[in-house]
Amino acid sequence: MAYSDKVLEHFKHPKNVGTLDKSQKNVGTGLVGAPECGDVMRLQIEVDEASNVIKDAKFKTFGCGSAIASSSLATEWLKGKTIDQAMSIDNMDIVEELALPPVKIHCSVLAEDAIKSAIKDYQEKNGLEVTATVGHH
Amino acid sequence: MKNRIYLDNNATTPTDPRVVETMVPYFFEKHGNAASRSHPYGWEAEEAVDYARENIAKLINANPKEIIFTSGATEGDNLALKGVFEMYSRKGNHIITATTEHKAVLDTCKKIEKMGGEVTYLEVDDKGLINLDELRAAIKDNTILVSIMYANNETGVIQPMKEISKICAEKGVLFFSDATQAVGKIPVDVVDLGIHIMAFTSHKMYGPKGIGALYVRRKRPRVKVTAQIDGGGHERGMRSGTLNVPAIVGFGKAAEIARLDMEEDTKRIMALRDKLENGLMQMEETYINGTTDSRMPHVTNISFKHVEGEGLMMTFNQTIAVSSGSACTSASLEPSYVLKALGLGDDLAHSSIRFSLGRFTTEEEVDRTVEMLTKGVQHMRDLSPIWEMYKEGVDLDSVEWTEH
């Protein structure tokens, strides 16, 4: 199977690889997937509490090229978005942007789950109303 | 592409130029049908087939009459299993095989079960070997056949052929082996090993694709299999169909070269494999899958912990051809059943890469592979959250993962 140029680019030069301090109150962490399934994504957001805007986003992913590209793209999209805007990112947007083939759609689903899971963690930590639900697919 | 490195010789080997050369006339001036008895076109085709058959028989110490041409090992496996099941139905309906067999054997066995057969699937230990006591205990009055592969395609692990055949002889059951990965690469002697039926194929020994052979013993005991393809009664009635003369000629040449060059080839390839393996094992948390005590000389299967196999393959930018036990490389999303049968967790199965070297592998390629793999594993581990957790001392088994 050949990869799209965008997947290859994100894979070779992934954006926003790293770790945020999860003990910080304004950092939300999402850890989804399982080693047994062949992919694990950890996605973190740092939120500006006053404006509700995501200031920074980082990820680390164990998985195939498409999983890594999906999470790299997700972090790019998250930066500068409000929580509400971030909530509206749909896995099919990722599929379209990266031209993922059908067998790789699960990678995009995982990335959406990672986003929602990070938001949920942030909302719970800060006693906010939890609007994110994970794993609805 | 010049810069590509081919380390997937267990999938298929490149055709040796010497093989191609011998085939060419049989597409042109010597285009006869080997079954045509009335003119020189037929005679020269038949002669060429006979010569090839002799070379193939010699490679495994068989009689040329014991060689039945097939389209490849998948057909050979089908013919052996279904053919014995039909031919010996009055004696019984029970077949014994192992969980790490190739799909051509396992899926055929599944079909035989649907046809009213009974199949026992022996487990393997963490080395990849079957247990001989379990084999002995599994043989019953209605057992007609034991089907155990010679060398595994994913790990290269070689089963104890001689010990298995002794048990079969003792109990009076037939012994069939899918020897696809072994024949042409290591010495295989069907007489010495006591194998009754054996499938193998040309394209794993530098011959053309689409041609294989089934060895069917003619004496002590005389074995017969019921044909699965009916027609003109070719190949002693066991496999009808016009012989693929050019391919058979190529197969014969490949067998001849394999026999003559085996010792030197093997020595050289094994040294390269060991160099590759030692180089890769310098990295921390890498594991060889399957025993190294009884293994093909050109194969190594290694798991790079916390690195997903397909992702790792992407780091070499598709310049190194290898294969992975990762689910992502298959449509099923299930990691390798062979590695799981060895007791590997799904995570390590997802992290495995099979390297299979061959006649045309060079030392420079091995060096470049070690270099690129080392960089690739580093890249993937830098990206891997579970590698980070592992390094921080988190017990990964205690983490609540979200299965999906």
Side-chain angles (χ1 to χ4, degrees), chain A residues 3 11 17 19 33 35-39 42 60-65 104, chain B residues 306-308 310-311 314-315 318 346 350 379 382-383 385 388 401-402 404:
Chain A
Y3 300 98
F11 178 76
V17 177
T19 310
E36 290 72 28
C37 303
D39 30 35
R42 190 194 60 202
K60 276 202 178 187
T61 290
F62 161 82
C64 66
K104 296 296 182 187
Chain B
H306 304 322
V307 170
E308 197 277 327
E310 188 194 342
M314 250 178 98
T315 64
Q318 286 144 13
D346 278 9
H350 279 294
H379 179 73
D382 287 345
L383 280 173
E388 184 186 297
W401 303 105
T402 55
H404 57 282

PDB file of all heavy atoms in Angstrom, chain A residues 3 11 17 19 33 35-39 42 60-65 104, chain B residues 306-308 310-311 314-315 318 346 350 379 382-383 385 388 401-402 404:
ATOM      1  N   TYR A   3       1.570   5.226   0.640  1.00  0.00           N
ATOM      2  CA  TYR A   3       1.071   6.261   1.535  1.00  0.00           C
ATOM      3  C   TYR A   3       0.943   7.578   0.781  1.00  0.00           C
ATOM      4  O   TYR A   3       1.702   7.848  -0.137  1.00  0.00           O
ATOM      5  CB  TYR A   3       2.016   6.446   2.717  1.00  0.00           C
ATOM      6  CG  TYR A   3       2.197   5.200   3.539  1.00  0.00           C
ATOM      7  CD1 TYR A   3       3.297   4.375   3.357  1.00  0.00           C
ATOM      8  CD2 TYR A   3       1.245   4.849   4.490  1.00  0.00           C
ATOM      9  CE1 TYR A   3       3.452   3.216   4.107  1.00  0.00           C
ATOM     10  CE2 TYR A   3       1.392   3.701   5.241  1.00  0.00           C
ATOM     11  CZ  TYR A   3       2.507   2.888   5.051  1.00  0.00           C
ATOM     12  OH  TYR A   3       2.646   1.748   5.788  1.00  0.00           O
ATOM     13  N   PHE A  11       4.755  11.804   8.990  1.00  0.00           N
ATOM     14  CA  PHE A  11       5.477  10.696   9.601  1.00  0.00           C
ATOM     15  C   PHE A  11       6.964  11.025   9.750  1.00  0.00           C
ATOM     16  O   PHE A  11       7.570  10.800  10.790  1.00  0.00           O
ATOM     17  CB  PHE A  11       5.301   9.428   8.767  1.00  0.00           C
ATOM     18  CG  PHE A  11       6.059   8.255   9.324  1.00  0.00           C
ATOM     19  CD1 PHE A  11       5.584   7.588  10.440  1.00  0.00           C
ATOM     20  CD2 PHE A  11       7.257   7.842   8.763  1.00  0.00           C
ATOM     21  CE1 PHE A  11       6.287   6.522  10.980  1.00  0.00           C
ATOM     22  CE2 PHE A  11       7.956   6.778   9.291  1.00  0.00           C
ATOM     23  CZ  PHE A  11       7.471   6.115  10.400  1.00  0.00           C
ATOM     24  N   VAL A  17       5.715  16.755  18.675  1.00  0.00           N
ATOM     25  CA  VAL A  17       6.001  15.554  19.457  1.00  0.00           C
ATOM     26  C   VAL A  17       6.481  15.980  20.824  1.00  0.00           C
ATOM     27  O   VAL A  17       7.315  16.889  20.924  1.00  0.00           O
ATOM     28  CB  VAL A  17       7.111  14.713  18.793  1.00  0.00           C
ATOM     29  CG1 VAL A  17       7.450  13.498  19.655  1.00  0.00           C
ATOM     30  CG2 VAL A  17       6.689  14.276  17.403  1.00  0.00           C
ATOM     31  N   THR A  19       5.865  15.979  25.429  1.00  0.00           N
ATOM     32  CA  THR A  19       5.129  15.703  26.649  1.00  0.00           C
ATOM     33  C   THR A  19       4.877  16.998  27.390  1.00  0.00           C
ATOM     34  O   THR A  19       5.807  17.796  27.586  1.00  0.00           O
ATOM     35  CB  THR A  19       5.963  14.758  27.544  1.00  0.00           C
ATOM     36  OG1 THR A  19       6.393  13.644  26.749  1.00  0.00           O
ATOM     37  CG2 THR A  19       5.177  14.257  28.722  1.00  0.00           C
ATOM     38  N   GLY A  33      -6.332   3.756  22.989  1.00  0.00           N
ATOM     39  CA  GLY A  33      -5.761   2.607  22.290  1.00  0.00           C
ATOM     40  C   GLY A  33      -5.142   1.640  23.270  1.00  0.00           C
ATOM     41  O   GLY A  33      -5.227   1.837  24.485  1.00  0.00           O
ATOM     42  N   PRO A  35      -1.636  -1.349  23.556  1.00  0.00           N
ATOM     43  CA  PRO A  35      -0.491  -1.958  22.867  1.00  0.00           C
ATOM     44  C   PRO A  35      -0.884  -3.224  22.111  1.00  0.00           C
ATOM     45  O   PRO A  35      -0.361  -3.488  21.034  1.00  0.00           O
ATOM     46  CB  PRO A  35       0.475  -2.288  24.017  1.00  0.00           C
ATOM     47  CG  PRO A  35       0.080  -1.398  25.136  1.00  0.00           C
ATOM     48  CD  PRO A  35      -1.389  -1.163  24.990  1.00  0.00           C
ATOM     49  N   GLU A  36      -1.831  -3.977  22.671  1.00  0.00           N
ATOM     50  CA  GLU A  36      -2.264  -5.228  22.038  1.00  0.00           C
ATOM     51  C   GLU A  36      -2.927  -4.983  20.689  1.00  0.00           C
ATOM     52  O   GLU A  36      -2.969  -5.856  19.838  1.00  0.00           O
ATOM     53  CB  GLU A  36      -3.250  -5.984  22.933  1.00  0.00           C
ATOM     54  CG  GLU A  36      -2.633  -6.583  24.189  1.00  0.00           C
ATOM     55  CD  GLU A  36      -2.276  -5.537  25.225  1.00  0.00           C
ATOM     56  OE1 GLU A  36      -2.938  -4.476  25.245  1.00  0.00           O
ATOM     57  OE2 GLU A  36      -1.322  -5.764  25.977  1.00  0.00           O
ATOM     58  N   CYS A  37      -3.506  -3.772  20.551  1.00  0.00           N
ATOM     59  CA  CYS A  37      -4.193  -3.476  19.290  1.00  0.00           C
ATOM     60  C   CYS A  37      -3.234  -2.868  18.267  1.00  0.00           C
ATOM     61  O   CYS A  37      -3.617  -2.578  17.138  1.00  0.00           O
ATOM     62  CB  CYS A  37      -5.348  -2.515  19.510  1.00  0.00           C
ATOM     63  SG  CYS A  37      -6.530  -3.119  20.712  1.00  0.00           S
ATOM     64  N   GLY A  38      -2.006  -2.612  18.693  1.00  0.00           N
ATOM     65  CA  GLY A  38      -1.039  -2.084  17.738  1.00  0.00           C
ATOM     66  C   GLY A  38      -1.036  -0.577  17.633  1.00  0.00           C
ATOM     67  O   GLY A  38      -0.262  -0.027  16.863  1.00  0.00           O
ATOM     68  N   ASP A  39      -1.883   0.117  18.383  1.00  0.00           N
ATOM     69  CA  ASP A  39      -1.722   1.574  18.444  1.00  0.00           C
ATOM     70  C   ASP A  39      -2.163   2.190  19.768  1.00  0.00           C
ATOM     71  O   ASP A  39      -3.185   1.823  20.339  1.00  0.00           O
ATOM     72  CB  ASP A  39      -2.357   2.325  17.262  1.00  0.00           C
ATOM     73  CG  ASP A  39      -3.565   1.631  16.677  1.00  0.00           C
ATOM     74  OD1 ASP A  39      -4.304   1.019  17.463  1.00  0.00           O
ATOM     75  OD2 ASP A  39      -3.776   1.726  15.453  1.00  0.00           O
ATOM     76  N   ARG A  42      -1.156   9.226  22.785  1.00  0.00           N
ATOM     77  CA  ARG A  42      -1.283  10.122  23.930  1.00  0.00           C
ATOM     78  C   ARG A  42      -1.280  11.540  23.390  1.00  0.00           C
ATOM     79  O   ARG A  42      -0.324  11.960  22.724  1.00  0.00           O
ATOM     80  CB  ARG A  42      -0.146   9.930  24.924  1.00  0.00           C
ATOM     81  CG  ARG A  42      -0.425  10.681  26.232  1.00  0.00           C
ATOM     82  CD  ARG A  42       0.779  10.796  27.097  1.00  0.00           C
ATOM     83  NE  ARG A  42       1.835  11.519  26.407  1.00  0.00           N
ATOM     84  CZ  ARG A  42       3.124  11.416  26.717  1.00  0.00           C
ATOM     85  NH1 ARG A  42       3.508  10.608  27.667  1.00  0.00           N
ATOM     86  NH2 ARG A  42       4.027  12.111  26.045  1.00  0.00           N
ATOM     87  N   LYS A  60       2.377  11.818  21.539  1.00  0.00           N
ATOM     88  CA  LYS A  60       3.278  10.696  21.260  1.00  0.00           C
ATOM     89  C   LYS A  60       2.396   9.531  20.854  1.00  0.00           C
ATOM     90  O   LYS A  60       1.357   9.301  21.480  1.00  0.00           O
ATOM     91  CB  LYS A  60       4.122  10.323  22.488  1.00  0.00           C
ATOM     92  CG  LYS A  60       5.370  11.168  22.639  1.00  0.00           C
ATOM     93  CD  LYS A  60       6.432  10.498  23.487  1.00  0.00           C
ATOM     94  CE  LYS A  60       7.675  11.370  23.548  1.00  0.00           C
ATOM     95  NZ  LYS A  60       8.798  10.687  24.217  1.00  0.00           N
ATOM     96  N   THR A  61       2.788   8.822  19.824  1.00  0.00           N
ATOM     97  CA  THR A  61       1.970   7.718  19.319  1.00  0.00           C
ATOM     98  C   THR A  61       2.820   6.490  19.024  1.00  0.00           C
ATOM     99  O   THR A  61       3.877   6.594  18.407  1.00  0.00           O
ATOM    100  CB  THR A  61       1.214   8.143  18.043  1.00  0.00           C
ATOM    101  OG1 THR A  61       0.212   9.088  18.402  1.00  0.00           O
ATOM    102  CG2 THR A  61       0.540   6.965  17.357  1.00  0.00           C
ATOM    103  N   PHE A  62       2.311   5.361  19.490  1.00  0.00           N
ATOM    104  CA  PHE A  62       2.853   4.054  19.103  1.00  0.00           C
ATOM    105  C   PHE A  62       1.889   3.521  18.056  1.00  0.00           C
ATOM    106  O   PHE A  62       0.705   3.360  18.338  1.00  0.00           O
ATOM    107  CB  PHE A  62       2.889   3.142  20.335  1.00  0.00           C
ATOM    108  CG  PHE A  62       2.980   1.665  20.035  1.00  0.00           C
ATOM    109  CD1 PHE A  62       4.202   1.075  19.752  1.00  0.00           C
ATOM    110  CD2 PHE A  62       1.849   0.870  20.055  1.00  0.00           C
ATOM    111  CE1 PHE A  62       4.281  -0.288  19.485  1.00  0.00           C
ATOM    112  CE2 PHE A  62       1.922  -0.501  19.796  1.00  0.00           C
ATOM    113  CZ  PHE A  62       3.141  -1.079  19.516  1.00  0.00           C
ATOM    114  N   GLY A  63       2.373   3.325  16.858  1.00  0.00           N
ATOM    115  CA  GLY A  63       1.459   2.834  15.837  1.00  0.00           C
ATOM    116  C   GLY A  63       2.053   2.958  14.458  1.00  0.00           C
ATOM    117  O   GLY A  63       3.226   3.295  14.298  1.00  0.00           O
ATOM    118  N   CYS A  64       1.219   2.693  13.479  1.00  0.00           N
ATOM    119  CA  CYS A  64       1.680   2.718  12.100  1.00  0.00           C
ATOM    120  C   CYS A  64       1.800   4.164  11.617  1.00  0.00           C
ATOM    121  O   CYS A  64       1.460   5.110  12.338  1.00  0.00           O
ATOM    122  CB  CYS A  64       0.733   1.947  11.201  1.00  0.00           C
ATOM    123  SG  CYS A  64      -0.878   2.699  11.061  1.00  0.00           S
ATOM    124  N   GLY A  65       2.256   4.356  10.425  1.00  0.00           N
ATOM    125  CA  GLY A  65       2.461   5.686   9.870  1.00  0.00           C
ATOM    126  C   GLY A  65       1.196   6.524   9.866  1.00  0.00           C
ATOM    127  O   GLY A  65       1.230   7.731  10.167  1.00  0.00           O
ATOM    128  N   LYS A 104      -7.308   2.241   7.096  1.00  0.00           N
ATOM    129  CA  LYS A 104      -6.643   3.125   8.062  1.00  0.00           C
ATOM    130  C   LYS A 104      -7.605   4.102   8.731  1.00  0.00           C
ATOM    131  O   LYS A 104      -7.171   4.992   9.469  1.00  0.00           O
ATOM    132  CB  LYS A 104      -5.522   3.915   7.361  1.00  0.00           C
ATOM    133  CG  LYS A 104      -4.400   3.034   6.836  1.00  0.00           C
ATOM    134  CD  LYS A 104      -3.688   2.331   7.968  1.00  0.00           C
ATOM    135  CE  LYS A 104      -2.547   1.500   7.442  1.00  0.00           C
ATOM    136  NZ  LYS A 104      -1.940   0.685   8.503  1.00  0.00           N
TER     137      LYS A 104
ATOM    138  N   HIS B 306       7.939  -1.945  21.873  1.00  0.00           N
ATOM    139  CA  HIS B 306       7.294  -0.622  21.890  1.00  0.00           C
ATOM    140  C   HIS B 306       7.453   0.142  20.584  1.00  0.00           C
ATOM    141  O   HIS B 306       7.374   1.370  20.556  1.00  0.00           O
ATOM    142  CB  HIS B 306       7.772   0.227  23.076  1.00  0.00           C
ATOM    143  CG  HIS B 306       7.562  -0.451  24.379  1.00  0.00           C
ATOM    144  ND1 HIS B 306       6.443  -1.217  24.628  1.00  0.00           N
ATOM    145  CD2 HIS B 306       8.316  -0.514  25.501  1.00  0.00           C
ATOM    146  CE1 HIS B 306       6.524  -1.713  25.854  1.00  0.00           C
ATOM    147  NE2 HIS B 306       7.652  -1.312  26.395  1.00  0.00           N
ATOM    148  N   VAL B 307       7.724  -0.592  19.524  1.00  0.00           N
ATOM    149  CA  VAL B 307       7.804   0.006  18.189  1.00  0.00           C
ATOM    150  C   VAL B 307       6.833  -0.780  17.308  1.00  0.00           C
ATOM    151  O   VAL B 307       6.909  -2.007  17.265  1.00  0.00           O
ATOM    152  CB  VAL B 307       9.231  -0.112  17.629  1.00  0.00           C
ATOM    153  CG1 VAL B 307       9.264   0.280  16.159  1.00  0.00           C
ATOM    154  CG2 VAL B 307      10.196   0.742  18.434  1.00  0.00           C
ATOM    155  N   GLU B 308       5.954  -0.090  16.640  1.00  0.00           N
ATOM    156  CA  GLU B 308       4.979  -0.802  15.802  1.00  0.00           C
ATOM    157  C   GLU B 308       5.633  -1.122  14.458  1.00  0.00           C
ATOM    158  O   GLU B 308       6.254  -0.267  13.831  1.00  0.00           O
ATOM    159  CB  GLU B 308       3.729   0.063  15.648  1.00  0.00           C
ATOM    160  CG  GLU B 308       2.502  -0.693  15.171  1.00  0.00           C
ATOM    161  CD  GLU B 308       2.467  -0.861  13.680  1.00  0.00           C
ATOM    162  OE1 GLU B 308       2.957   0.035  12.969  1.00  0.00           O
ATOM    163  OE2 GLU B 308       1.986  -1.895  13.214  1.00  0.00           O
ATOM    164  N   GLU B 310       4.775  -1.821  11.262  1.00  0.00           N
ATOM    165  CA  GLU B 310       4.543  -1.147   9.984  1.00  0.00           C
ATOM    166  C   GLU B 310       5.107   0.276  10.012  1.00  0.00           C
ATOM    167  O   GLU B 310       5.683   0.748   9.035  1.00  0.00           O
ATOM    168  CB  GLU B 310       3.055  -1.104   9.646  1.00  0.00           C
ATOM    169  CG  GLU B 310       2.839  -0.585   8.226  1.00  0.00           C
ATOM    170  CD  GLU B 310       1.402  -0.200   7.931  1.00  0.00           C
ATOM    171  OE1 GLU B 310       0.501  -0.621   8.658  1.00  0.00           O
ATOM    172  OE2 GLU B 310       1.200   0.554   6.966  1.00  0.00           O
ATOM    173  N   GLY B 311       4.934   0.928  11.155  1.00  0.00           N
ATOM    174  CA  GLY B 311       5.501   2.268  11.302  1.00  0.00           C
ATOM    175  C   GLY B 311       7.013   2.218  11.120  1.00  0.00           C
ATOM    176  O   GLY B 311       7.601   3.039  10.412  1.00  0.00           O
ATOM    177  N   MET B 314       8.037   2.037   7.650  1.00  0.00           N
ATOM    178  CA  MET B 314       7.911   3.314   6.942  1.00  0.00           C
ATOM    179  C   MET B 314       9.153   4.188   7.111  1.00  0.00           C
ATOM    180  O   MET B 314       9.442   5.031   6.270  1.00  0.00           O
ATOM    181  CB  MET B 314       6.706   4.073   7.481  1.00  0.00           C
ATOM    182  CG  MET B 314       5.567   4.149   6.490  1.00  0.00           C
ATOM    183  SD  MET B 314       4.174   5.004   7.220  1.00  0.00           S
ATOM    184  CE  MET B 314       4.413   6.623   6.542  1.00  0.00           C
ATOM    185  N   THR B 315       9.877   3.978   8.201  1.00  0.00           N
ATOM    186  CA  THR B 315      11.061   4.806   8.422  1.00  0.00           C
ATOM    187  C   THR B 315      12.155   4.522   7.399  1.00  0.00           C
ATOM    188  O   THR B 315      13.004   5.350   7.164  1.00  0.00           O
ATOM    189  CB  THR B 315      11.666   4.632   9.838  1.00  0.00           C
ATOM    190  OG1 THR B 315      12.131   3.286   9.976  1.00  0.00           O
ATOM    191  CG2 THR B 315      10.660   4.947  10.923  1.00  0.00           C
ATOM    192  N   GLN B 318      10.570   2.668   2.515  1.00  0.00           N
ATOM    193  CA  GLN B 318      10.295   1.589   1.563  1.00  0.00           C
ATOM    194  C   GLN B 318      11.515   1.177   0.728  1.00  0.00           C
ATOM    195  O   GLN B 318      11.366   0.616  -0.346  1.00  0.00           O
ATOM    196  CB  GLN B 318       9.117   1.958   0.668  1.00  0.00           C
ATOM    197  CG  GLN B 318       7.809   1.870   1.432  1.00  0.00           C
ATOM    198  CD  GLN B 318       6.789   2.923   1.037  1.00  0.00           C
ATOM    199  OE1 GLN B 318       6.942   3.596   0.039  1.00  0.00           O
ATOM    200  NE2 GLN B 318       5.748   3.061   1.829  1.00  0.00           N
ATOM    201  N   ASP B 346       0.388  -9.800  22.050  1.00  0.00           N
ATOM    202  CA  ASP B 346       0.038  -9.072  20.833  1.00  0.00           C
ATOM    203  C   ASP B 346       0.976  -7.889  20.610  1.00  0.00           C
ATOM    204  O   ASP B 346       1.315  -7.559  19.483  1.00  0.00           O
ATOM    205  CB  ASP B 346      -1.402  -8.540  20.914  1.00  0.00           C
ATOM    206  CG  ASP B 346      -2.399  -9.622  20.548  1.00  0.00           C
ATOM    207  OD1 ASP B 346      -1.966 -10.778  20.412  1.00  0.00           O
ATOM    208  OD2 ASP B 346      -3.592  -9.298  20.404  1.00  0.00           O
ATOM    209  N   HIS B 350       3.090  -7.272  17.238  1.00  0.00           N
ATOM    210  CA  HIS B 350       2.958  -6.058  16.435  1.00  0.00           C
ATOM    211  C   HIS B 350       4.317  -5.414  16.148  1.00  0.00           C
ATOM    212  O   HIS B 350       4.445  -4.595  15.252  1.00  0.00           O
ATOM    213  CB  HIS B 350       2.114  -5.011  17.180  1.00  0.00           C
ATOM    214  CG  HIS B 350       0.640  -5.230  17.074  1.00  0.00           C
ATOM    215  ND1 HIS B 350      -0.035  -5.112  15.894  1.00  0.00           N
ATOM    216  CD2 HIS B 350      -0.289  -5.544  18.008  1.00  0.00           C
ATOM    217  CE1 HIS B 350      -1.321  -5.348  16.113  1.00  0.00           C
ATOM    218  NE2 HIS B 350      -1.502  -5.619  17.379  1.00  0.00           N
ATOM    219  N   HIS B 379      13.753   6.592  16.045  1.00  0.00           N
ATOM    220  CA  HIS B 379      12.696   7.539  15.641  1.00  0.00           C
ATOM    221  C   HIS B 379      11.354   7.109  16.231  1.00  0.00           C
ATOM    222  O   HIS B 379      10.620   7.913  16.806  1.00  0.00           O
ATOM    223  CB  HIS B 379      12.608   7.587  14.107  1.00  0.00           C
ATOM    224  CG  HIS B 379      11.552   8.502  13.555  1.00  0.00           C
ATOM    225  ND1 HIS B 379      11.678   9.875  13.578  1.00  0.00           N
ATOM    226  CD2 HIS B 379      10.349   8.242  12.982  1.00  0.00           C
ATOM    227  CE1 HIS B 379      10.589  10.424  13.030  1.00  0.00           C
ATOM    228  NE2 HIS B 379       9.775   9.450  12.659  1.00  0.00           N
ATOM    229  N   ASP B 382      11.242   7.463  20.012  1.00  0.00           N
ATOM    230  CA  ASP B 382      11.095   8.867  20.406  1.00  0.00           C
ATOM    231  C   ASP B 382       9.638   9.298  20.322  1.00  0.00           C
ATOM    232  O   ASP B 382       9.197  10.183  21.049  1.00  0.00           O
ATOM    233  CB  ASP B 382      11.941   9.771  19.488  1.00  0.00           C
ATOM    234  CG  ASP B 382      13.428   9.651  19.790  1.00  0.00           C
ATOM    235  OD1 ASP B 382      13.773   9.104  20.859  1.00  0.00           O
ATOM    236  OD2 ASP B 382      14.247  10.095  18.955  1.00  0.00           O
ATOM    237  N   LEU B 383       8.920   8.672  19.400  1.00  0.00           N
ATOM    238  CA  LEU B 383       7.511   9.017  19.189  1.00  0.00           C
ATOM    239  C   LEU B 383       6.565   8.204  20.075  1.00  0.00           C
ATOM    240  O   LEU B 383       5.382   8.476  20.119  1.00  0.00           O
ATOM    241  CB  LEU B 383       7.133   8.708  17.731  1.00  0.00           C
ATOM    242  CG  LEU B 383       7.517   9.702  16.651  1.00  0.00           C
ATOM    243  CD1 LEU B 383       7.215   9.123  15.283  1.00  0.00           C
ATOM    244  CD2 LEU B 383       6.731  10.981  16.847  1.00  0.00           C
ATOM    245  N   PRO B 385       4.598   6.712  23.119  1.00  0.00           N
ATOM    246  CA  PRO B 385       4.241   7.013  24.510  1.00  0.00           C
ATOM    247  C   PRO B 385       4.520   5.823  25.421  1.00  0.00           C
ATOM    248  O   PRO B 385       4.854   6.012  26.592  1.00  0.00           O
ATOM    249  CB  PRO B 385       2.744   7.301  24.439  1.00  0.00           C
ATOM    250  CG  PRO B 385       2.257   6.581  23.228  1.00  0.00           C
ATOM    251  CD  PRO B 385       3.396   6.598  22.254  1.00  0.00           C
ATOM    252  N   GLU B 388       8.132   5.748  26.394  1.00  0.00           N
ATOM    253  CA  GLU B 388       8.376   6.760  27.429  1.00  0.00           C
ATOM    254  C   GLU B 388       7.918   6.247  28.796  1.00  0.00           C
ATOM    255  O   GLU B 388       8.630   6.370  29.794  1.00  0.00           O
ATOM    256  CB  GLU B 388       7.617   8.047  27.066  1.00  0.00           C
ATOM    257  CG  GLU B 388       7.868   9.199  28.022  1.00  0.00           C
ATOM    258  CD  GLU B 388       6.985  10.412  27.706  1.00  0.00           C
ATOM    259  OE1 GLU B 388       7.139  10.973  26.616  1.00  0.00           O
ATOM    260  OE2 GLU B 388       6.151  10.768  28.551  1.00  0.00           O
ATOM    261  N   TRP B 401      -6.023   0.259  29.471  1.00  0.00           N
ATOM    262  CA  TRP B 401      -6.052   0.640  28.060  1.00  0.00           C
ATOM    263  C   TRP B 401      -7.479   0.645  27.557  1.00  0.00           C
ATOM    264  O   TRP B 401      -8.329  -0.068  28.061  1.00  0.00           O
ATOM    265  CB  TRP B 401      -5.208  -0.326  27.228  1.00  0.00           C
ATOM    266  CG  TRP B 401      -3.796  -0.401  27.685  1.00  0.00           C
ATOM    267  CD1 TRP B 401      -3.221  -1.415  28.392  1.00  0.00           C
ATOM    268  CD2 TRP B 401      -2.777   0.581  27.500  1.00  0.00           C
ATOM    269  NE1 TRP B 401      -1.904  -1.127  28.649  1.00  0.00           N
ATOM    270  CE2 TRP B 401      -1.602   0.092  28.116  1.00  0.00           C
ATOM    271  CE3 TRP B 401      -2.737   1.834  26.888  1.00  0.00           C
ATOM    272  CZ2 TRP B 401      -0.407   0.800  28.134  1.00  0.00           C
ATOM    273  CZ3 TRP B 401      -1.541   2.539  26.891  1.00  0.00           C
ATOM    274  CH2 TRP B 401      -0.399   2.026  27.514  1.00  0.00           C
ATOM    275  N   THR B 402      -7.731   1.443  26.569  1.00  0.00           N
ATOM    276  CA  THR B 402      -9.058   1.438  25.962  1.00  0.00           C
ATOM    277  C   THR B 402      -8.983   0.617  24.681  1.00  0.00           C
ATOM    278  O   THR B 402      -8.453   1.070  23.676  1.00  0.00           O
ATOM    279  CB  THR B 402      -9.521   2.867  25.619  1.00  0.00           C
ATOM    280  OG1 THR B 402      -8.528   3.479  24.788  1.00  0.00           O
ATOM    281  CG2 THR B 402      -9.693   3.703  26.856  1.00  0.00           C
ATOM    282  N   HIS B 404     -10.034  -1.010  21.321  1.00  0.00           N
ATOM    283  CA  HIS B 404     -10.892  -0.442  20.285  1.00  0.00           C
ATOM    284  C   HIS B 404     -11.013  -1.397  19.113  1.00  0.00           C
ATOM    285  O   HIS B 404     -10.360  -2.434  19.078  1.00  0.00           O
ATOM    286  CB  HIS B 404     -10.356   0.899  19.803  1.00  0.00           C
ATOM    287  CG  HIS B 404      -8.936   0.827  19.290  1.00  0.00           C
ATOM    288  ND1 HIS B 404      -7.857   0.766  20.129  1.00  0.00           N
ATOM    289  CD2 HIS B 404      -8.442   0.766  18.048  1.00  0.00           C
ATOM    290  CE1 HIS B 404      -6.748   0.700  19.412  1.00  0.00           C
ATOM    291  NE2 HIS B 404      -7.068   0.680  18.140  1.00  0.00           N
TER     292      HIS B 404
END
